[in-house]
Structure formats: structure tokens, C-alpha cells
Amino acid sequence: MKNLRELCEVRQSVFDKSRRDVTLDISDLIDDDIDTDQFFAENFITEGMKSLYTAVFKRLEGNSDDGIFKLTQAMGGGKTHSMIAVGLLAKYPEYREKVMGDVYKTSFKGSAKVIGFTGRENPKYGIWGYIAEQLGKKDKFKEYYDPLEAPGQSAWINLLKGEPIVILLDELPPYFQAAQAKQIGDGNLADVTTQALSNLLVAIGKKELSNVSLVISDLSAAYTEGSQMIRQIMDDFESETNRLSKNFTPVQQNTDEIYHILRKRLFSNEFDEKEVEEIADAYAEAIREAKQMDISTETPEKFKSAVMDSFPFHPAIRDLYARFKENQGFMQTRGLIRLMRTIAARMFDENDGWAEQRYLIAPDDIDLNNPDTLTEINSINSKLNNAISKDIADHGKALAEQLDSKFGHNLSSRTANLILMSSLATVQNAVRGLADSEIIRNLCGPDTDISKIKTEVLEELKTNSWYLHMDNTGKFLYKNVQNVVAKLNDYVKGYNEESIRQEIKKQLEELFQPQLKDCYQNVYVLPSIDEIEVVQQKVSLIVYRPHPGGQLHPDLQKLYDDNQYQNRMLFLTGDSHSMRSIFDNAANLKAAGAILEEFRREKMPSGDPQFVEAEKLLQSFDHRFRSSVRETFVKLFYPTKNGLMNANFQMQFQGNNYNGEEQIKKTLEEKRKFTTDISSDSFVRQAESKLFIDQKTPWSEIIKRSATRPDWPWHKPDALEQLKEEMIRKDHWRQEGNWVLKGPFPAPPTGVNIKQIARDDDTGEATLKITPLHGDTVYFEIDSKATEASLELDTSQPYKTKELKLSFLCVDSTGEHDTGEPVEWHNSITLKYQFFGAGNDKKLELKAAPDAPIKYTTDGSDPLNHCGIYDGPITILDNVKYVLAIAEKKGIQSDKLSIPVPTDPSSVEIDKEKETTWRKRVKSDSTADTFKWLKSIRKHNVKLSEIHISVNGQHWVSLDFDERLILNHDKLEKTLEFIQTNLLEEGEVIIDAGKLHFDSGQQFIDYVEEEKIEYKAGEIEQR
């Protein structure tokens, strides 16, 4: 496949700078200063030209009434060129067949008089005098020169009638705008000229001037006021002659004509269709590969067709040219020809061109280090010089050039050039920039590794360019303002080494901060040695700057060797070569975060492209920072019985998530330094062999040895406490104060478990459940110690007694367990009272159960010290407010009662301030009743004792509580929840309680009033 140098014959005019800078105008035609052969050799006849040729020569033949032809296009759009072409053909008959024979075979054989005017001229006697002078009839208009007046229709007819004439009026708008400043009478030169030309056009519409053709051009959108005057002239002509001027567009900018024009202007040869197709196929194949890689959406067949049409130019040239062709002052077709001549001159330079490396002339083939190319770019948009020199081209110093050197290919410069060409538009609402898929499409081609654009080039350009931006649609474009990257670099320059180190510390602390704290509890990141505090209770992870050779830093080794808590240190370090990368990325990460904070303070919308770009930079540098951390910290040093050992540590990121604690734990688990197995027999054996000094060891020493022995595994901090509790519960260990004893232990002696399951407060009779412990026979004795000579008790049945003191002895008939000490049980004494009237006397009756002597006082003194002995109902004097009473027998006392004396003996007086116990058995009837009652006791803060809970259904659960246990509503509810959740889901839930406890008499009163329950004086105890 041939390259451009082999296929193209470049015209010498391309290399001739003087020719490149020359712009022909109508005056060159009038002065015969045009090389006609060369002009037509480089001329491509557009559709607009074909129409113009036909119309003018039909007029010259006398076969058309149309004599006014207007060319409309922006500046530099081919109007002047078309006028010159038609003027040369009218002037020189010998060129007509060769040039326009395939367009229109005219019957006009003679030579026409060609006269013209360009709006860049400023003739003394106005346009009409200038035309008359070219015709050699200057004197015919002398009466219109001083003062300047507009010739009328008749004057124009007399001047122009006779020989064939072609009048060319070019670039009139700038002339009109300048003429407005020249005063003539009450008006100005523009007004007079407008009248003169209106008269001329109307005159040409007359039969007498059928020999005259007039071609006039307009600079649409360039000179508003001047163009308006031309439209006024045309309107006058059309209204007076009832004819329309014919409009022509010399070059259709949105068609392939632009490629044909460029081919004619730049190259002297035609191209072989098969050779062109071979190149088009190669580009189509490159597009197909890009499509398969899912980095382009272009259709190969469509792209091939576009290359066939545009060759030797890349199809993207027309699209990018269309973006900036409307720029103020840009000469459209003329400007594009100048630009492409400059590009071609560099590409095909014999010494350092690159045409032999290309198959198409592409938008990225601009050499911005070449002064001529840079001048052409500046003529299109002069505001991007800083972007060019900093980011694109500056003799090897710009970013794109540096990336070319880094990657070993020129895709960075080509990409930057392409984006620049898409960024040149300056008019409002113009399309600017390219999406990544468009960049790839336009750089696709033979011998181009397109995959690197997205993976290498765009990422680097986006991250490091100063003037490259992304708009809110994701398109890349250069602007004349610095981007977030430039701002980021300014931030980075302001950071010193210490501030960056602090940023690294912050980031690494976030990566390795423990949450579960089961493996390690403290983190030190890049500390000085004296900052590290190793304590007995916690394992410390020390992330330290790597030492050359990947070995542990000597200072850390010394710290380990000199410390008694060697099993409380873990070191993460690694490759010192990558540390610089961590510092660089940390600085960028810190800067990106600072920029986002700045934007937030400025209340910049989160959808602003700058804000979005800053967020992307933050994500990018976060990823890079983590990558450099992963490549740097690759060694984990942990204590063993043979000293510090190292393990390879590979950080694994899950997207943007990283759990350093989990990965360190996993690594240490693989090395058996960390364990979650804290209840197995193996763990118990390790603890007993490594942490116990002897059968009996202080618990503090066991904890200390776990911190000092490097061969002890790490585990969650409370694992040893949990182990101790479990082992003591199973009686494998025992605790005596701060000492822990490890088994095996001698068989325990016998004992007795005594459970009071019921008691009648009226009689004092208790019902006991007696259970032998480590034995099978129980003996009992009343009021003295039980022996094997005492009575034997049938433990299969509850035992009922009114005795105050009992002793029980358990014996193991097998002899396996020694006989333990007898176990004593004491009954309680219940003291009740009742007031009644006897005539005019107020009487108090006291009763103890079981029967026991009762002592009392009525003056508030302690009945144990100063008392009367109760031997029958007491007469209460009027001045007695309280009676204090207590029963005592065999060293067992009842509760001391403080009995308020009621005014009415039949009523019950309640002290609202004193704690109150209500001796009344209350029982719920159903599950609903139970939870309603619980709600009530929660409200009044009631506590219960002598409790029995049962759940009755197809199966049943029964739960008795020690009568001394007092439970509040929370504990009761949790107990019920446990039973229903874990034991029995269905069944009626019943609670039975013998006593209700209140913090005050007022709470008791509130409760019974709400529950509507009656109470008696003997049921109430207050103290």
C-alpha cells in the first residue's frame, strides 16, 4: 500500500510561501496580473461555478433576460475566485472550451469587456466614475463628479450600451460602511452609491442593456450594515423590473466540493481509484478492529466510503473545518486552502516531512512547532497560545511531547493536535471538543495502536494537562483558561514534605484503621520511634517507611529487641523504590480534595464540568495512591518464637473499597499468628502450656505472658477472659481471688440443694424441694447438725415443715465423693397485725407464723431493746401514732413492722413516703392478662418476689424463683421473651407472685386504685 509521498504530486505553489500568502482580487483581473494557465490548472469547477458560467454566457449570447447575478457566502467563501474565473473566460475566448466545455458549450465566440470594482478600493469619483474610466468613457459621467451625484438609468444606458460587457462588483459591504462616514450634501456617500447602483441594476434590466451582465457579491454576516444596503439595491431592482436577481453559492461547504477544491489547489495529479480503495479498506479494517474492542461506534463501510470521497484528506477535516469557518475574520474556503497548504508543505518537506508515514492528511497533522503552521492556527483562534505551548507543542517541553517520549509513540501529540483542531471555534453556541469515541474514530488508521489512546493517552492528558477541559457532555476541548489540573499543580507546589507526610498518614490510617479490633487495636503510620508506645493490652500495627533492600528498618528491630511486650508489635513495610510515587500521589490527592473544598465554598454547582473534573481527579489520584501503596507496602513482619518473621502482603482493593484490617488478619491467619478458634481443646492446651507458670497462676501474669511470649497467637482482646469464664463454668479451672487454678481437681464433696417452693404465711409452713449433690442419701435434723445417725429423708417428695431450723447432710454411698458439711436451712417468721375496736378502746392484735415471741413498742423506740412482750391484744392510747413490732425465736427474726395507727380501727393507714410491701398473692389468668399486668407494673414501677412463671399448652414450662429474688418488669419481660423464643412458642403464659414491692406508699395507693383491688391492714408492711 502506497503512502502519501508515493501517491501525491504536490504543486510547487504549495512550497512557495509568497504564493501561499497572495490573495487574488478583482483588481488583479482588471490589471491583467493573473497567470491564466496556472489559475485554471488549480481551479475546480464547483456546482455554483457551473451555474454561474452558464448564466453569464447565456446572457452574453443574448439568450437570457437575467443579467444580475449575486454571489452570497461568508468572507473567503469562493466569491472572488468565481468572479475572476468567469471574468477570465469572458475576456479570453481561447480558454472556454478547455475550461467549461464539459459544463456549457457557449455560442458566444467573441471577447467581452470585463470591468470590475472591489470594495477595498476608494475611487475619487465613486463607483460610477471608476466603471466609466475602465470603459474609456470617463468624461461621459463628468457631470456626476463634482459634487458626487448618482447617475440615472438613462445615463447608465448611454454609458454601457453596445459591446458585450461583464461587470464584477466584489466585496461592496465594507465600501458601503466606509462611505457612510463621507458627507455629501444632506446625506453621505453610501446613500449616493446606493442610488447609483440601484439605477444601474434597473438599467441593466432594460432591453437596451441586454449586452451587459453584472455579478455582485455579498459578505453575509460579516458586514451587517453594508449587506443591508446591497439587499436594498436588489429590492429596488426587483420592484422596478419585476425580475429577481439570481443567487449563486460558489462553494457548498457541507459537501465534498471542499475536498475537490483542496485536491486541485494542492496536487497536480489524479489518483488511481484502486490505490485509493486499498487505503480506504485499510482504514475500514482499523475501524472494524476498534469496533470489536468496543471503543468506537463507527461503521467500517461508511468510513470507507467517506475516505474514498475525501482522499487524500481525512474525512474529519470537513467536520472540524465547519466548526471554525464562521469565526470572525476567517476567510472560509480561502482560509482553509491556506491552512492545508501550510500543513501539506510541512508533511511533504523533503528533509523532515512525514508524508511517507501517512496515508491520509488528517487534522492532527499540524506541526505547531512550525512558525507558519502556528501563524495559521492563530489566524483562526489566537487565544489558545498558552494551551499550545503548555500542553501540546513547545519543542519537546509541552506535556504531549513528553508523553510521546514516555510511551515511545506519537499518539499523545496527535490526540492533542486533534482536540485543538476541534476547539478553534469562537462564535457563540459553536460545537467544540470531541468525545473519546470521536477521537478514536479520527485517529484510527493503518499501523496505529488505537487501544493505547483510551488506556494511556487520554488518561494522562486529562490528568496532567493545564488547559484541557471536559464539557458537561464528556467532550475534550482546549480553552484559554487553566483547568483543574493547573490549579492542582499550583496547590501541589505549595506543599512541603511534612504536609505531604501528614496526608499520607491520614490516608494510610483510613486504610488500616481497625474496626473490629480483634487482630490489632492501635495504628502508627510513619511515626518517629519515640512516638511508638507499646502497651500490654493492645497489639500495635506500625506502618513504617521502607528500608532499602526490603528489610526491616534497624530502628524497628532495636525497638522490638528492647521491648518486653514483643508480642504486641506488628510491622508493615516494603519496597523503598516506590515511596516517591506515594509522596507524589499523596500530594495530588491532597490538592484534589482542597480544590473540591474550594469549589464547595464558592457554591459551585456539582454538575459544573470543573467540579465534575475535580471529582474525577480525586478518584483518579485516590486510585493511583492506593496502587502505589499496594506496590510499596508488601512485607508484614510479625513475632514468632524464632524472632520476627515476614510474610508477603498483597493489598487487594474491591473497587474503591479496601479493608486493611481484614487483609492483615487474613495474612496472619494463614501464618497461624492470628486465630478465631478460641474455644477448642487445642487453644485451651496452648493457654495452659504457654501462659500458666504452674497449676496456680495469677491472672495478671497470664495476661502479661500473652503479651510477652512471641509464640502466643493473636486473638480478639477479650478471648482470654471468655476462656476463663467458660473454663470456670465447666470447673476445668477455678478462681481464688486473682489466682487461677487449672485442673484436674479432686472430686467435690457432697452437698444439698434446698429450694423453698412454697410457704403459707398464715401458718409458717414451708414446702421444700431437697436435692442431693454428689451423693444419693440425705439425713436431716431439727435444731442441730445432721449426722448419718439422723433421720433419712425421702427426697423424691417435697418436704413440709413449720420448724425454724433444719440441718441436712448428703452421703455418697459409692464412696466416690467425700461427705461434705451439713447444710442448714432457716425458716422465716411472718408477722401480721389487725386493729379492732373494743367498746371505746382501740385494740391491736399481732400474730407470728410459725409461733414466736413478739416484742413491741408504742413510743417509737427499738422493740429489740426497749419493749413490751406481746401476750394478747394491745390497747392503743390516743397519743400513739405508730407501733413498732418484731418477732424473734432461735435467733431468727421477722421483718420489723412500723404499723401506723388508724383513726378508725376498721380502716388502713398508709404512709405515703415509706417503702411498702404488699403480702398478697396475685396471679394472672391468661397470656393477655399477663402482659396487661406487666404493662401496669411497668407504669407504677412495681417489683415482684416469690414468683412462679408457667407456660401451659400441649407442652409446658414451669419456672420457680428463689423467694428472696425481687424482679422488676424489664427482667420479667426478658424472661418471658426468652421462654417464648427459645423454649415454647405456644401456650398460656401465667405469672404468680406472693409479694408486690413499692418504692413508696403513694405508688402502692396509685396502683391499687387503678387496678381496683382491696387490701387489708395485715397485708401491708412499711419501713
Side-chain angles (χ1 to χ4, degrees):
M1 184 168 63
K2 292 182 179 180
N3 58 50
L4 286 177
R5 195 178 294 279
E6 294 171 321
L7 287 170
C8 300
E9 296 176 13
V10 185
R11 294 186 186 278
Q12 284 306 305
S13 60
V14 169
F15 301 103
D16 186 347
K17 289 186 181 180
S18 63
R19 284 292 311 280
R20 195 186 310 158
D21 295 335
V22 171
T23 302
L24 298 176
D25 63 22
I26 297 301
S27 62
D28 295 313
L29 172 66
I30 302 306
D31 296 339
D32 288 327
D33 199 17
I34 295 176
D35 184 332
T36 307
D37 289 315
Q38 184 172 346
F39 178 88
F40 283 119
E42 297 182 6
N43 178 62
F44 172 75
I45 303 176
T46 65
E47 291 301 317
M49 274 190 182
K50 290 178 182 180
S51 299
L52 182 62
Y53 289 171
T54 302
V56 170
F57 278 93
K58 279 187 176 181
R59 175 72 171 182
L60 291 174
E61 294 167 353
N63 292 326
S64 174
D65 292 334
D66 296 322
I68 309 299
F69 311 107
K70 185 171 72 169
L71 305 182
T72 56
Q73 200 157 37
M75 187 167 55
K79 301 178 299 300
T80 302
H81 183 85
S82 298
M83 284 185 171
I84 292 173
V86 79
L88 288 173
L89 291 173
K91 199 172 185 179
Y92 302 114
E94 63 271 26
Y95 287 97
R96 291 172 192 161
E97 179 61 31
K98 179 181 178 182
V99 173
M100 54 178 278
D102 293 336
V103 176
Y104 180 71
K105 292 188 178 297
T106 181
S107 60
F108 178 66
K109 303 301 182 183
S111 176
K113 180 68 175 178
V114 178
I115 59 178
F117 173 78
T118 172
R120 309 296 176 179
E121 299 286 351
N122 185 24
K124 180 179 180 180
Y125 299 119
I127 293 176
W128 51 96
Y130 194 70
I131 292 174
E133 185 176 6
Q134 290 183 52
L135 287 171
K137 301 176 182 181
K138 180 180 180 182
D139 289 343
K140 279 200 171 188
F141 272 2
K142 61 183 179 181
E143 61 188 89
Y144 303 110
Y145 297 153
D146 190 15
L148 285 173
E149 294 181 11
Q153 295 180 34
S154 298
W156 280 113
I157 291 172
N158 289 331
L159 181 71
L160 299 174
K161 65 182 179 181
E163 63 179 323
I165 297 174
V166 176
I167 301 174
L168 306 173
L169 301 180
D170 192 22
E171 298 186 344
L172 288 181
Y175 177 80
F176 276 115
Q177 291 198 189
Q180 287 179 317
K182 189 171 183 178
Q183 293 296 314
I184 298 178
D186 294 333
N188 56 50
L189 179 59
D191 299 330
V192 177
T193 304
T194 300
Q195 185 61 50
L197 291 181
S198 293
N199 294 339
L200 170 61
L201 267 60
V202 172
I204 292 174
K206 303 297 183 180
K207 185 175 181 181
E208 294 92 327
L209 292 187
S210 60
N211 60 306
V212 178
S213 298
L214 184 143
V215 183
I216 187 171
S217 70
D218 185 14
L219 295 176
S220 61
Y223 295 88
T224 307
E225 293 183 17
S227 295
Q228 180 62 39
M229 292 182 175
I230 291 179
R231 284 192 288 276
Q232 180 183 334
I233 293 169
M234 292 300 179
D235 291 343
D236 291 345
F237 161 71
E238 291 168 1
S239 64
E240 290 200 31
T241 62
N242 291 320
R243 294 180 185 173
L244 297 174
S245 61
K246 299 197 69 174
N247 293 341
F248 300 91
T249 302
V251 179
Q252 296 293 336
Q253 304 282 351
N254 59 345
T255 69
D256 292 336
E257 284 187 347
I258 197 70
Y259 296 129
H260 294 296
I261 293 170
L262 291 174
R263 273 195 291 266
K264 268 286 189 179
R265 293 294 182 92
L266 272 58
F267 305 107
S268 59
N269 63 310
E270 299 290 333
F271 300 106
D272 184 274
E273 187 173 347
K274 288 186 178 180
E275 291 177 332
V276 173
E277 187 172 13
E278 185 179 2
I279 291 172
D281 283 335
Y283 274 87
E285 182 58 31
I287 290 289
R288 184 175 289 106
E289 291 176 2
K291 194 175 180 68
Q292 290 172 349
M293 287 187 281
D294 199 26
I295 55 176
S296 176
T297 58
E298 183 63 62
T299 304
E301 294 75 17
K302 182 179 177 182
F303 197 78
K304 174 184 175 180
S305 176
V307 172
M308 292 292 291
D309 291 337
S310 65
F311 186 85
F313 304 99
H314 194 283
I317 284 179
R318 185 178 68 195
D319 168 61
L320 297 183
Y321 157 67
R323 299 184 181 200
F324 61 75
K325 69 183 178 66
E326 302 294 342
N327 283 14
Q328 182 71 36
F330 184 66
M331 304 292 286
Q332 294 218 348
T333 308
R334 189 184 308 164
L336 179 61
I337 293 171
R338 285 173 54 87
L339 176 62
M340 296 312 297
R341 273 181 167 168
T342 305
I343 292 173
R346 281 295 298 122
M347 284 188 71
F348 288 89
D349 186 278
E350 292 293 340
N351 297 318
D352 57 356
W354 58 92
E356 65 277 358
Q357 301 171 21
R358 297 283 193 275
Y359 303 97
L360 293 176
I361 301 173
D364 57 276
D365 282 312
I366 51 173
D367 179 7
L368 294 169
N369 286 317
N370 174 259
D372 294 334
T373 306
L374 191 58
T375 298
E376 290 300 324
I377 296 298
N378 281 332
S379 71
I380 302 171
N381 185 335
S382 61
K383 296 182 178 180
L384 295 177
N385 278 325
N386 287 336
I388 292 171
S389 61
K390 185 70 180 178
D391 292 341
I392 307 173
D394 187 17
H395 303 282
K397 293 183 290 185
L399 172 65
E401 295 169 317
Q402 293 172 352
L403 292 177
D404 286 346
S405 298
K406 174 182 175 180
F407 294 135
H409 55 66
N410 65 357
L411 280 175
S412 298
S413 286
R414 291 181 62 191
T415 301
N417 288 346
L418 179 63
I419 296 172
L420 175 69
M421 293 299 289
S422 74
S423 309
L424 295 176
T426 58
V427 296
Q428 192 172 8
N429 298 325
V431 176
R432 283 186 286 269
L434 294 170
D436 52 8
S437 60
E438 294 173 309
I439 293 170
I440 290 169
R441 170 197 182 270
N442 292 333
L443 292 178
C444 258
D447 307 326
T448 300
D449 186 355
I450 209 70
S451 65
K452 295 183 182 296
I453 293 177
K454 205 164 187 178
T455 58
E456 288 182 354
V457 174
L458 282 177
E459 189 62 33
E460 288 285 347
L461 288 176
K462 180 172 64 174
T463 304
N464 298 298
S465 294
W466 282 41
Y467 293 90
L468 183 63
H469 295 256
M470 287 186 75
D471 67 13
N472 52 15
T473 66
K475 289 184 176 181
F476 294 87
L477 70 156
Y478 284 106
K479 293 183 180 180
N480 63 337
V481 292
Q482 291 185 352
N483 59 17
V484 176
V485 172
K487 186 183 287 285
L488 182 137
N489 283 320
D490 287 340
Y491 268 100
V492 169
K493 287 178 183 176
Y495 297 148
N496 57 30
E497 191 87 355
E498 177 58 23
S499 66
I500 298 173
R501 190 177 78 91
Q502 291 301 321
E503 178 68 17
I504 295 173
K505 285 185 65 172
K506 185 186 85 170
Q507 295 294 333
L508 290 180
E509 283 170 356
E510 288 180 6
L511 291 177
F512 293 103
Q513 193 62 238
Q515 300 300 319
L516 298 177
K517 298 187 176 182
D518 50 356
C519 181
Y520 61 91
Q521 293 76 47
N522 285 341
V523 178
Y524 292 96
V525 176
L526 305 182
S528 60
I529 292 297
D530 58 4
E531 289 177 330
I532 303 171
E533 183 181 359
V534 182
V535 295
Q536 175 181 303
Q537 298 86 356
K538 298 179 179 180
V539 176
S540 294
L541 170 65
I542 300 163
V543 184
Y544 208 73
R545 191 163 186 161
H547 190 62
Q551 298 302 310
L552 190 66
H553 196 285
D555 291 346
L556 294 182
Q557 184 66 55
K558 186 174 188 306
L559 173 71
Y560 176 79
D561 293 339
D562 294 348
N563 202 293
Q564 66 169 324
Y565 300 126
Q566 292 185 338
N567 203 38
R568 290 294 179 258
M569 286 177 276
L570 173 65
F571 305 106
L572 179 60
T573 183
D575 182 9
S576 61
H577 295 96
S578 305
M579 199 63 195
R580 185 68 257 168
S581 176
I582 289 183
F583 266 78
D584 292 342
N585 287 312
N588 287 326
L589 184 59
K590 178 180 174 70
I595 290 170
L596 277 172
E597 283 303 311
E598 177 184 328
F599 287 167
R600 292 188 182 102
R601 287 196 303 272
E602 295 172 352
K603 299 188 177 349
M604 179 184 287
S606 59
D608 186 283
Q610 290 276 85
F611 195 98
V612 172
E613 183 61 24
E615 286 186 317
K616 289 181 179 178
L617 280 176
L618 184 71
Q619 293 172 4
S620 173
F621 285 123
D622 184 58
H623 174 73
R624 293 184 183 195
F625 175 79
R626 293 179 180 217
S627 295
S628 58
V629 168
R630 181 177 58 212
E631 294 167 4
T632 301
F633 294 101
V634 294
K635 291 288 184 183
L636 200 60
F637 289 84
Y638 60 94
T640 71
K641 65 180 180 180
N642 297 318
L644 287 169
M645 301 292 287
N646 71 76
N648 292 327
F649 182 66
Q650 184 64 48
M651 297 170 67
Q652 299 293 332
F653 289 89
Q654 304 272 339
N656 283 332
N657 298 320
Y658 178 71
N659 189 329
E661 178 187 31
E662 185 62 32
Q663 290 199 11
I664 285 178
K665 191 161 59 175
K666 182 178 178 182
T667 301
L668 294 176
E669 265 192 293
E670 292 172 353
K671 298 298 179 180
R672 298 186 178 181
K673 181 60 184 175
F674 175 78
T675 183
T676 57
D677 179 15
I678 57 173
S679 59
S680 67
D681 292 343
S682 173
F683 186 74
V684 173
R685 285 194 297 272
Q686 280 196 75
E688 291 182 342
S689 64
K690 294 179 179 180
L691 303 183
F692 279 78
I693 300 173
D694 205 340
Q695 289 296 109
K696 183 177 181 181
T697 304
W699 182 246
S700 58
E701 181 63 26
I702 290 174
I703 297 299
K704 180 179 178 181
R705 286 172 67 81
S706 71
T708 58
R709 289 198 58 149
D711 59 343
W712 178 248
W714 288 329
H715 41 68
K716 64 178 185 175
D718 62 349
L720 289 178
E721 288 291 344
Q722 288 185 11
L723 179 66
K724 180 180 74 170
E725 290 176 8
E726 181 68 11
M727 296 300 284
I728 290 174
R729 185 181 67 81
K730 294 178 178 178
D731 199 35
H732 294 165
W733 294 356
R734 293 177 184 172
Q735 188 166 10
E736 295 179 0
N738 188 44
W739 294 74
V740 177
L741 294 77
K742 61 178 179 178
F745 303 110
T750 62
V752 177
N753 179 265
I754 305 170
K755 179 182 178 185
Q756 181 176 303
I757 58 177
R759 187 177 185 279
D760 187 339
D761 288 343
D762 291 330
T763 64
E765 183 180 72
T767 303
L768 306 179
K769 173 63 177 173
I770 309 299
T771 304
L773 300 176
H774 311 300
D776 48 22
T777 304
V778 175
Y779 300 94
F780 76 98
E781 193 67 63
I782 299 171
D783 293 338
S784 61
K785 284 188 177 182
T787 67
E788 293 183 43
S790 301
L791 292 174
E792 185 176 337
L793 182 68
D794 180 5
T795 58
S796 65
Q797 298 295 326
Y799 175 63
K800 295 185 178 184
T801 182
K802 294 181 182 179
E803 298 295 335
L804 287 174
K805 288 185 177 182
L806 293 175
S807 175
F808 298 92
L809 179 68
C810 179
V811 176
D812 179 12
S813 61
T814 66
E816 181 180 345
H817 296 268
D818 293 339
T819 300
E821 291 295 319
V823 178
E824 285 193 357
W825 173 82
H826 292 173
N827 200 347
S828 60
I829 300 174
T830 305
L831 184 59
K832 293 189 174 185
Y833 67 91
Q834 181 179 350
F835 287 95
F836 63 93
N840 293 326
D841 293 333
K842 191 184 298 178
K843 297 284 187 175
L844 170 64
E845 182 181 13
L846 299 173
K847 181 181 178 182
D851 187 44
I854 302 172
K855 301 176 181 180
Y856 70 94
T857 63
T858 58
D859 59 0
S861 60
D862 189 343
L864 286 174
N865 301 322
H866 309 282
C867 63
I869 303 299
Y870 181 81
D871 58 0
I874 306 166
T875 299
I876 305 299
L877 301 179
D878 291 340
N879 64 343
V880 176
K881 301 298 182 183
Y882 285 92
V883 176
L884 301 181
I886 189 170
E888 180 181 22
K889 186 176 182 180
K890 297 181 181 179
I892 298 173
Q893 295 176 349
S894 71
D895 290 336
K896 186 188 298 183
L897 294 185
S898 174
I899 306 169
V901 177
T903 304
D904 180 0
S906 62
S907 66
V908 180
E909 294 285 340
I910 302 295
D911 189 324
K912 295 181 179 180
E913 302 299 324
K914 291 186 176 182
E915 291 184 16
T916 303
T917 300
W918 186 18
R919 291 179 175 273
K920 182 176 179 65
R921 185 154 294 278
V922 182
K923 181 179 180 182
S924 62
D925 297 324
S926 64
T927 301
D929 190 32
T930 296
F931 284 98
K932 180 182 177 182
W933 186 28
L934 286 174
K935 185 177 179 181
S936 178
I937 66 174
R938 172 186 286 274
K939 176 180 178 181
H940 296 285
N941 197 27
V942 183
K943 304 176 186 66
L944 308 182
S945 63
E946 299 181 11
I947 304 165
H948 173 76
I949 294 176
S950 63
V951 181
N952 304 301
Q954 184 177 358
H955 302 285
W956 60 271
V957 170
S958 180
L959 183 62
D960 288 321
F961 292 80
D962 188 309
E963 63 179 4
R964 292 164 295 183
L965 279 177
I966 300 176
L967 303 183
N968 62 16
H969 51 81
D970 280 335
K971 291 182 178 179
L972 289 167
E973 288 174 355
K974 288 178 181 178
T975 302
L976 292 179
E977 181 182 4
F978 177 84
I979 294 172
Q980 290 181 304
T981 302
N982 299 285
L983 300 178
L984 199 61
E985 294 182 5
E986 297 181 355
E988 291 292 339
V989 179
I990 306 297
I991 295 182
D992 182 355
K995 291 181 181 179
L996 281 70
H997 303 268
F998 300 86
D999 292 336
S1000 68
Q1002 184 62 57
Q1003 282 186 348
F1004 168 72
I1005 293 169
D1006 294 341
Y1007 173 76
V1008 294
E1009 285 181 354
E1010 182 171 303
E1011 292 295 316
K1012 296 179 175 58
I1013 306 174
E1014 293 184 357
Y1015 58 92
K1016 299 176 182 178
E1019 298 172 345
I1020 309 302
E1021 295 179 4
Q1022 288 193 299
R1023 56 183 182 276

